[in-house]
Amino acid sequence: MKKFLSFAAILMLLLVLAACNDDEELAGENVSAGSGDYPEVTFKLAHITPTDHMWHQASEKFKEELESITDGKMTVEIYPASQLGSEADMVQQVEAGSVDMAMITAAYLTSRTPEMAAWFAPYLFETLEEANTAAQSDLGQEVLKKVEGTGLKGLTYLFAGQRTMVTKGVKINSTDDLNGLKLRVTPSPALQSFYRNAGAAPESLSLTEVYSALQTGVIDGMDMDLDATITNKYAEIAKYVAVTNHMVWPSTILTNEKKFNALSQDAQDAVTQAWQVASDYAVTTRAGQEEEFRKELESQGMEVYDLDASLFAKQIEAFDSEYGGQSDLIKQFIEANR
């Protein structure tokens, strides 16, 4: 009888503890469902890409996730396709606080944040997943923090597809075919250095000017990812895509440091968490689209082919030597990921 009563007592205790745990779990679910210290706010987010580009899709993912976390208290108005101006304009707007967040390419930022050149070491990453891991590393975060100092704060990175070489009438089979070729390259010292070392003549044009410049022969081709080649309809006027995948293409999510720091800790955490979800979504989704995009461009009449990294061995060595010598952080980043 004593053993039976002891067993019954233990059983009752276990049932009570289980019930308490269930209550705690339910309470935890309620706390996480928008009951934090969240202000009623609508953020203005600007970027340069069309609405069918991965970066815009990631913006929509950020909006969806932020509204889910905060139960709709914090939301986002998205201004795509350079509606609010160029990247230079958007950076100034974020600094002034008239735009809350902007998606700014790391390539543009190299002109004002030299350490961003680390991302454009040629053939540093084989996959977007590798690049995303590097972005979350201590060195990747240290590079991101270098944007601070003028009222900006870097929240995270966001990746699109790797870079390819798109040309109108010249098929690139070696670096010899790049000699004197006028290629639109984002106005970044790091990118232009790579192409000059390969013999090309890089031209600095805004994205909105590229189509007409290629159409009229002002340029012979461009440095571009497959995403933008499709969304900007370059197949209408270009013939070849050399899939070199010579560089990854990160953007940075910039916000106004003072306005971000004025948010509650819960609100800051919600923004950070939502961007992390969007960033992971972009990498996972885009990595699985490579073959789909190649077939799409081929169906539009383009010849899509691969070029091996070994063709650019001299350019890789020259870049690592030049930019690794300019900054210890760039050197460490390259050595950690090469």
Side-chain angles (χ1 to χ4, degrees):
M1 179 61 70
K2 289 181 179 178
K3 289 181 179 179
F4 174 77
L5 291 174
S6 297
F7 175 77
I10 292 171
L11 183 60
M12 287 295 293
L13 180 60
L14 290 173
L15 291 171
V16 169
L17 289 173
C20 290
N21 286 337
D22 287 343
D23 288 343
E24 288 175 1
E25 289 178 7
L26 289 172
E29 289 175 3
N30 289 335
V31 167
S32 65
S35 59
D37 181 15
Y38 305 124
E40 297 275 354
V41 62
T42 298
F43 295 120
K44 291 176 66 175
L45 167 63
H47 65 76
I48 62 172
T49 61
T51 55
D52 49 356
H53 190 272
M54 174 50 63
W55 282 349
H56 181 74
Q57 295 171 26
S59 300
E60 294 280 8
K61 188 68 173 178
F62 166 68
K63 171 183 168 70
E64 173 189 322
E65 189 68 20
L66 185 64
E67 290 175 354
S68 175
I69 294 170
T70 65
D71 200 22
K73 293 179 181 176
M74 300 171 69
T75 187
V76 185
E77 289 180 355
I78 304 172
Y79 297 85
S82 300
Q83 287 182 18
L84 299 185
S86 66
E87 290 189 284
D89 296 327
M90 288 186 282
V91 168
Q92 291 178 354
Q93 290 161 2
V94 173
E95 287 173 333
S98 58
V99 169
D100 300 295
M101 300 175 199
M103 195 180 295
I104 304 297
T105 61
Y108 168 78
L109 289 175
T110 56
S111 297
R112 52 183 291 155
T113 307
E115 292 81 2
M116 280 289 170
W119 283 106
F120 303 105
Y123 295 98
L124 193 60
F125 303 103
E126 289 188 7
T127 67
L128 293 181
E129 290 88 349
E130 287 181 7
N132 196 37
T133 298
Q136 308 309 319
S137 70
D138 290 342
L139 287 171
Q141 291 299 302
E142 191 173 344
V143 171
L144 183 61
K145 288 179 182 177
K146 292 295 183 179
V147 303
E148 299 175 3
T150 61
L152 299 173
K153 178 179 178 61
L155 294 177
T156 192
Y157 296 98
L158 199 67
F159 291 92
Q162 298 196 64
R163 306 308 281 178
T164 68
M165 300 179 188
V166 180
T167 51
K168 183 177 182 179
V170 177
K171 184 177 180 180
I172 300 169
N173 290 308
S174 71
T175 53
D176 290 342
D177 297 318
L178 286 168
N179 284 333
L181 211 60
K182 294 179 291 183
L183 296 178
R184 184 269 178 180
V185 179
T186 300
S188 159
L191 273 73
Q192 296 194 347
S193 175
F194 168 75
Y195 275 101
R196 286 196 185 97
N197 286 336
E203 299 283 342
S204 298
L205 298 171
S206 69
L207 192 61
T208 55
E209 298 176 275
V210 172
Y211 188 100
S212 61
L214 187 62
Q215 188 177 40
T216 58
V218 172
I219 57 175
D220 302 306
M222 69 203 81
D223 175 273
M224 194 64 60
D225 57 42
L226 296 182
D227 315 37
T229 303
I230 293 172
T231 58
N232 289 290
K233 305 183 187 306
Y234 295 137
E236 295 176 352
I237 49 175
K239 185 175 180 181
Y240 302 106
V241 181
V243 182
T244 49
N245 289 340
H246 53 283
M247 294 173 186
V248 293
W249 196 248
S251 65
T252 59
I253 308 302
L254 302 184
T255 190
N256 181 281
E257 184 175 25
K258 185 176 180 180
K259 292 178 74 172
F260 183 81
N261 290 340
L263 294 172
S264 67
Q265 188 61 54
D266 285 344
Q268 291 182 27
D269 291 345
V271 170
T272 302
Q273 180 183 334
W275 270 124
Q276 190 57 57
V277 169
S279 179
D280 291 343
Y281 164 81
V283 166
T284 302
T285 304
R286 179 60 187 83
Q289 293 175 321
E290 188 74 9
E291 192 59 32
E292 171 192 341
F293 287 169
R294 290 179 66 132
K295 289 181 179 178
E296 173 63 23
L297 289 170
E298 286 172 346
S299 74
Q300 295 177 14
M302 299 193 79
E303 183 178 340
V304 183
Y305 61 99
D306 297 301
L307 278 186
D308 192 81
S310 61
L311 295 173
F312 298 92
K314 291 181 180 179
Q315 288 72 33
I316 294 170
E317 183 179 355
F319 187 100
D320 290 1
S321 176
E322 178 183 356
Y323 282 89
Q326 292 180 9
S327 161
D328 286 340
L329 179 55
I330 294 176
K331 182 179 180 180
Q332 291 171 31
F333 186 85
I334 293 174
E335 289 178 347
N337 294 289
R338 176 65 70 195

